[in-house]
């Protein structure tokens, strides 16, 4: 019997930390306090594409959108810092204001968000995890039937 995608993700995440939980949501996100990672395989493709494009520019390499998004959220748990989280909230409010007033385009909004200190820390953690656990990540994507 073939395992469900959510079961495969849960097993993968448990290898990273057995205390982390995985649940479905309308997008990739996390609750670092409760150590819950929320996923959605049908999350807006353009948001994942922008994140992948950002990773290409920032780290010089492309990563599978599902893998990097999942590990990015785990990275938030791994690198959580109250001060950075508060700063993220303040800076995000400013970006939202600029967006609401049409002062920045969608890609600029996302790229500036991805550069927030807590965001770049989570992404750096994810990139380092992929680089240090390449075979594990490759097998995970194979089990999900997703190309690297």
């Amino acid at each position: 019997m073939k395992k469900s995608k959510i079961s495969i993700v849960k097993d993968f995440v448990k290898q990273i930390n057995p205390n982390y939980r995985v649940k479905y949501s309308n997008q990739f996100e996390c609750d670092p306090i409760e150590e819950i990672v929320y996923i959605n395989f049908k999350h807006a493709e353009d948001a994942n594409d922008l994140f992948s494009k950002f990773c290409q520019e920032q780290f010089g390499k492309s990563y599978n959108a599902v893998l990097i998004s999942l590990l990015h959220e785990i990275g938030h748990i791994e690198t959580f810092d109250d001060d950075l989280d508060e700063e993220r909230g303040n800076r995000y409010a400013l970006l939202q204001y600029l967006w609401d007033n049409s002062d920045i385009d969608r890609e600029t909004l996302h790229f500036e968000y991805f550069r927030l200190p807590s965001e770049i820390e989570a992404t750096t953690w994810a990139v380092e995890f992929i680089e240090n656990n390449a075979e594990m990540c490759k097998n995970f994507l194979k089990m999900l039937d997703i190309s690297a």
Side-chain angles (χ1 to χ4, degrees):
M1 182 174 176
K2 188 175 179 180
K3 288 176 86 171
S4 68
K5 284 187 175 186
I6 190 75
S7 293
I8 294 167
V9 172
K10 285 180 178 182
D11 289 348
F12 178 74
V13 171
K14 293 287 181 200
Q15 291 178 62
I16 296 168
N17 187 314
N19 297 319
Y20 295 171
R21 294 177 289 154
V22 177
K23 295 183 178 185
Y24 271 123
S25 180
N26 62 345
Q27 64 184 8
F28 282 94
E29 57 188 334
C30 77
D31 180 338
I33 304 297
E34 296 296 323
E35 297 184 336
I36 302 171
V37 176
Y38 296 95
I39 64 166
N40 187 324
F41 293 106
K42 295 179 181 177
H43 177 60
E45 291 295 321
D46 57 339
N48 280 340
D49 289 344
L50 284 173
F51 188 50
S52 295
K53 184 177 177 182
F54 172 78
C55 288
Q56 174 67 46
E57 289 184 16
Q58 185 74 28
F59 299 99
K61 189 170 180 183
S62 294
Y63 297 95
N64 173 275
V66 170
L67 179 64
I68 193 71
S69 297
L70 172 64
L71 289 172
H72 168 87
E73 297 308 331
I74 293 170
H76 275 299
I77 299 171
E78 292 284 327
T79 64
F80 183 71
D81 177 316
D82 282 326
D83 292 335
L84 284 181
D85 198 51
E86 183 178 344
E87 179 182 357
R88 177 177 148 302
N90 293 337
R91 288 188 181 190
Y92 182 74
L94 174 60
L95 289 173
Q96 190 63 49
Y97 173 81
L98 292 172
W99 172 254
D100 290 345
N101 290 289
S102 301
D103 291 337
I104 56 174
D105 62 60
R106 192 165 188 281
E107 184 172 309
T108 302
L109 171 72
H110 279 84
F111 274 46
E112 289 305 313
Y113 176 78
F114 298 149
R115 287 185 181 100
L116 296 176
S118 64
E119 294 300 318
I120 199 70
E121 277 196 21
T123 304
T124 300
W125 184 92
V127 166
E128 288 174 357
F129 184 90
I130 293 169
E131 297 303 321
N132 294 327
N133 299 278
E135 196 63 30
M136 178 183 175
C137 294
K138 182 179 170 185
N139 290 337
F140 169 66
L141 292 174
K142 185 177 179 181
M143 289 179 72
L144 285 177
D145 198 24
I146 297 175
S147 63

